[in-house]
Amino acid sequence: MQTPGADGRFGQFGGQFVPETLVPACQELERAFTEAWNDALFREELNHLLKTYAGRPSILTECHNLGRELGIRLFLKREDLNHTGSHKINNVLGQALLAKRMGKKRIVAETGAGQHGVAAATAAALLGLECKVFMGAVDIERQELNVFRMRLLGAEVVPAQSGSRTLKDAVNEAMRDWVATVESTHYCLGSVMGPHPYPYMVRQFHRVIGDEAREQCREVLGGDDPDVIVACVGGGSNAIGIFSGFIDTHARLIGVEPAGGAAVGRGVPGVVHGMKSYLMQDEEGQVQEAHSISAGLDYPGVGPEHSYLSEIGRAEYPSVTDTEVIDGFTLLARSEGIIPALECAHALAWIKRAAPEMQGQVVLMNLSGRGDKDVAQMMDILGKK
Amino acid sequence: MPIHLETHLRAQRSGGRKLLVPYVTGGLSNWKEAIRAAAANGADAIEVGIPFSDPVMDGPVIQEASLRALKDGATPFGIIQEISTLDIDIPVAVMLYYNTLFRAGHERFATSLVKNGVSAAIVPDLPLEEAGEWCRDADAAGVETVMLAAPTAPDGRLPLVVERARGFVYAVGLLGITGERDSLAATATALATRLKKITDKPVLIGVGVSNAAQAYEACKVADGVIQGASVVRRLMESGPDAVGEYIAEVRAAIDAH
């Protein structure tokens, strides 16, 4: 995958559209990350934490029952088994180490479903950083469990009351906090979005998913790569993570968006949250609100590298409806005994729909998070029987 | 053609006058009346905010004003068109987030500004590194692009910001978003001092200059001040007459210099 140039661009997308106050901080972060990433000691420290704290490498599971039912070979990359229950830990451990290296005492983060917030609070507890998490007021209601987890971990959780009161507004609030506290604070952004260097940096922290998966697949497939790689996309961090390992193979790359938040599928280029990327917006450039069953994907934009991969035709971005997602959620639970996060159920929904055209193919899906956090919400939807 | 903002501000300053630029959110109830009241009570130019769904540099007051204006159906081109009907004899600048003009298209937007008598544009999420294309298009159309300078800028960066600035240099008074504060941050006059050393373009402090006393304090160093949240709050709470009274009060305070 390409390294963005000094202008922080993937093709026409990306950039650094931030208030002047934050420009020096973004530049400092870019320098610090580049230096750290090339420092063997930093990488060793990070890898040690990934192994002994996060539980990496995550395993590869073949879904024999569901594969048979759908007529494909289906593998799951089990990021749900990481400490804190999702892939988000890869990125936060990297950023928290980097924050300490830069002499910052405090991190702020935004969160949608709460997975990144929980991961950030965890890394902050481990490494002795103060942590404040902004979360949309609407999401605080539907992800009560994660809110309590963050508080248990010592983080302050602040409801974002502006706009649609979901992930997009939590990002706004986190950026507003950062503008005021930039000298002491690192903004621990949770996806491959935002101003340069975040999309690139967060991808590098998550590429371990793809790198591991590629080795694991070659082992079980006798040296071959899968035919199709599938992941859900909100901002797009877990998708970029797994795509990274297969970008130079023949594999189709599929990023599944929610129908109510299909930035690549239905958006047009725009600029918000520091980046130029596909964005759901109206004729006047007002950002539209995303609506989906999963708080983690309720985002009207998308990471700029996804916009780029779509534009050059390397990756495809279909979308699925909430109804299909509920079906995907129960399907994996009943056929394989694995309860997926609602976010990941989007990828399952697409696999089920597209299976007739993939007969006999090998499909690798990134199971980026576990579904415990969604159980209460699903209980309301499906009833308690 | 619009009044040339920088020429106008320099002329005002040359008589020893400190500069006062009130900010009003376009499309907010009674916004045009508020602008006329400000113009009649000693404003040297007006900044009109174009409401945006995600105003990342703005605090609660201007967020609320933007939201209200959008709910009332305000649109960028609608506001710009209405600016042409203001009938005031001081220059108008618009403050807008970059997506508004990116979505509209640079040329189309710049042309519309000029046609409706708007002198300048302030784009708080378009820093130097990203501003090149817009600045070129704006220069070509005759729109002055005000650049923001922040307290976090290293010494090497400020001359580049100043060089690119048209109209005036917007000195961001503090680390943070727009909104009223109890006192003027030390960063405000410190930054203005650094800027005044390297430029003779008008230097105005905005963000966190919250009342007449703070405006007086800021003008000890700066050429003038922008009054945003303090104006918009009064407009929302009490209406356009309160804005006029407030601007008269700030005018009197900074005239004491």
Side-chain angles (χ1 to χ4, degrees), chain A residues 16 20-21 176 271 286-287, chain B residues 53-55 99 130 152 157:
Chain A
Q16 213 167 60
E20 174 66 21
T21 307
R176 287 176 184 129
V271 175
Q286 308 296 349
V287 181
Chain B
S53 54
D54 296 80
N99 198 47
E130 300 291 353
T152 48
R157 185 174 176 84

Side-chain angles (χ1 to χ4, degrees), chain B residues 3 29 32 50 56 147 186 189 244 248 250 256:
Chain B
I3 307 168
S29 182
K32 290 193 289 182
I50 308 286
V56 78
M147 298 302 283
T189 45
V250 179

Side-chain angles (χ1 to χ4, degrees), chain B residues 143-181:
Chain B
V143 174
E144 296 165 83
T145 303
V146 174
M147 298 302 283
L148 289 88
T152 48
D155 283 339
R157 185 174 176 84
L158 286 184
L160 304 175
V161 171
V162 160
E163 166 65 29
R164 188 44 258 181
R166 306 282 183 271
F168 63 90
V169 180
Y170 191 126
V172 178
L174 48 75
L175 293 183
I177 52 178
T178 61
E180 295 165 90
R181 312 293 202 281

Side-chain angles (χ1 to χ4, degrees), chain A residues 332-345:
Chain A
L332 191 69
R334 287 179 188 168
S335 60
E336 300 292 336
I338 298 170
I339 299 176
L342 271 173
E343 288 74 19
C344 311

Side-chain angles (χ1 to χ4, degrees), chain A residues 15 30 75 86 98 177 242 274 345:
Chain A
E30 187 185 347
F75 292 91
S86 81
L98 193 59
D177 183 290
I242 196 149

